[in-house]
Amino acid sequence: MKRLLTGAFAVLFAAAVPGFAQTVDDLNIQIHGFATQGFLYTTNNNILTTNSSDGSPNWFEGVVNISAQPTPKLRVAVQGRFESFGNATNQISLDYANADYKVNDFLGVRFGKVKSPSGLFNEMQDIDPSYMWSLLPQSVYPIGSRNSVLSHFGGVVYGRVRLGKHLGKLEYRGWAGQRVLNSGDGYFVPQVEKGLILPNGFSVPVSGAALRWKTPLTGLTLGISDYRQQHGNALLQYPAFGLSGHETIEALTSPNFFGKYERGRWMLAAERSRVPATVTIALTGVPNSNIFFDLRSWYAMATYKVTDKFTVGAYNSQAFDRRLPPGPAHYQKDWDVSGRYDFNQFIYVKAEQHFLDGTVLSYDTNLNLGGLKPTSKLTILKVGVSF
Amino acid sequence: MNQLIVKLLFAAAAATSAASAHAQMIIVSSNVKASEISKSDLKDIFSGAASTAGSTHVTPILLKAGPVNDEFLSSYIGKSDLAFRTGWRSLVFTGQATMPRSFESDEAAVDYVAHNPGIIAYVSKTAPHDGVKVITVK
């Protein structure tokens, strides 16, 4: 699948770019990028992949985007990323590399490595300049495992339909392809820390659809999306004991329901999602180990533009794992207050305070060897530049 | 005294009316078939959500920051220049769009629209606009 897409992308790019008698200006080649530097401090526990209880400045990401538009309906773009986040350091990755052909407002197609357009914020959850928060609500957009849902190799079909003068507009997205995760992906960190390695990574077919209804009430958008992941199986190794076998993730569906209302200086949004999964670790000569989780999550947020440059906001984010026994380990409740100041269109700073209760998300066991305390406060400061 | 009050009221009404009239016009390339556009469609096109005016594929271009640009964004898009450009960057970084070209002056924008098909732009109402089509906003 990857080879096919890479070939198709290369052919399209080759046909679109140099073959035409176009100047560089005609191709509208653009280079954009952004970089952010964050600082985290927690009163209890080390959060995410950082030693935050000592104060950690180890959170950097840099992104470069190159795009060209050889014809008004055709775009090609590639975006790369360097990220260093605590003990997940020096990771260089390809955000996307795709060609986009928009026939008209009703129909467009994007293919290559593409962003998966599920939920309210999935496509932009790794684009820090796009939103006011330093951390999006972790219940629905956990940063540690975001790579597992951000993009896929395949395609997206998209468009919008007018429903009539008094019924608003409906935007649709449909996507399918192959999700490819390497062994170092955040999703696999807990098992990698236990010594379980996926030498070939994990590759699985995925598909999904999303509808966004721009209602007749100006500023109100309601939406639903559904993400489906097929049964996946990957080679697994346990070098410490010389064992090998397979890791299996059963087919799963993950629905999201969301709404957003923007009026004047206010933005209100809410989203609910569910991620149920069954993972089996099968090593030769050892009884199978099954891991179940059924994460039910939601958040509600509000932001207010105090001035054109200064925005404040707050959200409440909650997640519960229905498969775990009651107690702090089966939930996370997070109250957040945030502020963002844009000095100009290139430089901004963010400050954020979280009040965390529960430990089902966001904690790396290896960084909390003394055990987890049920509550913590998290302070985040961030500076970003974009061009 | 009454005459003075009436004159003051007329003056205030005239000033309000002048302030609310848009100081820019919407221009398109001559191949664009539409002669008018709704405010909602204009907002969608300049926000990257749509790319059709009438039945013609159009690409928006922008003016660099300045009074004409700021008033256009405030009147038709409902955003400041900062929020508007942040929104476009978001589309760029998520792979959904290319940032519209920005021009330094009305003259440069008009010239680009006149020499390229399928372009939509806003310029000062007083700008010379030979070779382009002016469309009305409903």
Side-chain angles (χ1 to χ4, degrees), chain A residues 25 28 30 33 65 69 72 75 79 96 102 105 123 127 129-130 160 162 169 308 342 344-346 386, chain B residues 40-41 44 49-52 57 59 80 82-83 85-86 89-90 92-99 101:
Chain A
D25 190 48
N28 194 14
Q30 298 185 5
N65 172 290
Q69 191 162 11
R75 285 185 306 107
Q79 184 164 293
Y96 59 81
K102 187 173 184 178
D105 285 343
E123 283 171 292
I127 311 299
S130 299
R160 71 203 301 258
R162 288 171 195 272
K169 296 161 189 165
D308 282 349
D342 288 84
N344 50 45
Q345 61 172 305
F346 306 110
S386 68
Chain B
S40 164
D41 286 349
D44 285 348
S51 55
T52 306
H57 185 96
T59 304
S80 66
L82 187 63
R85 287 175 202 274
T86 299
R89 284 219 183 102
S90 178
V92 169
F93 289 130
T94 54
Q96 299 180 72
T98 300
M99 187 76 89
R101 294 169 191 259

Side-chain angles (χ1 to χ4, degrees), chain B residues 10 17 38 40 46-47 63 74 81 89 117:
Chain B
F10 268 106
S17 170
S38 71
S40 164
F46 276 90
S47 302
L63 287 177
S74 167
D81 185 66
R89 284 219 183 102

Side-chain angles (χ1 to χ4, degrees), chain A residues 337-348:
Chain A
V337 287
S338 298
R340 167 174 169 156
Y341 187 82
D342 288 84
F343 292 97
N344 50 45
Q345 61 172 305
F346 306 110
I347 304 173
Y348 60 87

Side-chain angles (χ1 to χ4, degrees), chain A residues 293-323:
Chain A
F293 63 87
D294 184 3
L295 205 60
R296 315 283 180 100
S297 311
W298 66 268
Y299 67 81
M301 63 168 58
T303 69
Y304 180 75
K305 261 187 183 308
V306 181
T307 69
D308 282 349
K309 293 183 173 182
F310 182 44
T311 309
V312 294
Y315 65 68
N316 182 241
S317 159
Q318 301 198 8
F320 298 85
D321 187 341
R322 293 296 183 90
R323 298 285 189 132

Side-chain angles (χ1 to χ4, degrees), chain A residues 325-358:
Chain A
H330 100 129
Y331 66 81
Q332 186 194 64
K333 301 173 186 175
D334 178 12
W335 274 104
D336 163 278
V337 287
S338 298
R340 167 174 169 156
Y341 187 82
D342 288 84
F343 292 97
N344 50 45
Q345 61 172 305
F346 306 110
I347 304 173
Y348 60 87
V349 290
K350 297 178 178 181
E352 191 159 295
Q353 181 66 44
H354 292 258
F355 302 89
L356 296 157
D357 178 10

Side-chain angles (χ1 to χ4, degrees), chain B residues 16 19 26-27 37 43 59 66 79-80 96 103 107-108 113 116 118 127 137:
Chain B
T16 307
I26 308 303
I27 59 171
I37 190 169
K43 181 178 179 180
T59 304
K79 287 185 175 178
S80 66
Q96 299 180 72
F103 291 83
E107 293 73 21
V113 176
N116 291 278
V137 181

Side-chain angles (χ1 to χ4, degrees), chain A residues 222-238:
Chain A
L222 301 174
I224 180 171
S225 68
D226 192 26
Y227 160 75
R228 289 169 187 270
Q229 180 174 303
Q230 304 300 313
H231 174 94
N233 196 319
L235 179 65
L236 184 69
Q237 290 178 342
Y238 198 1

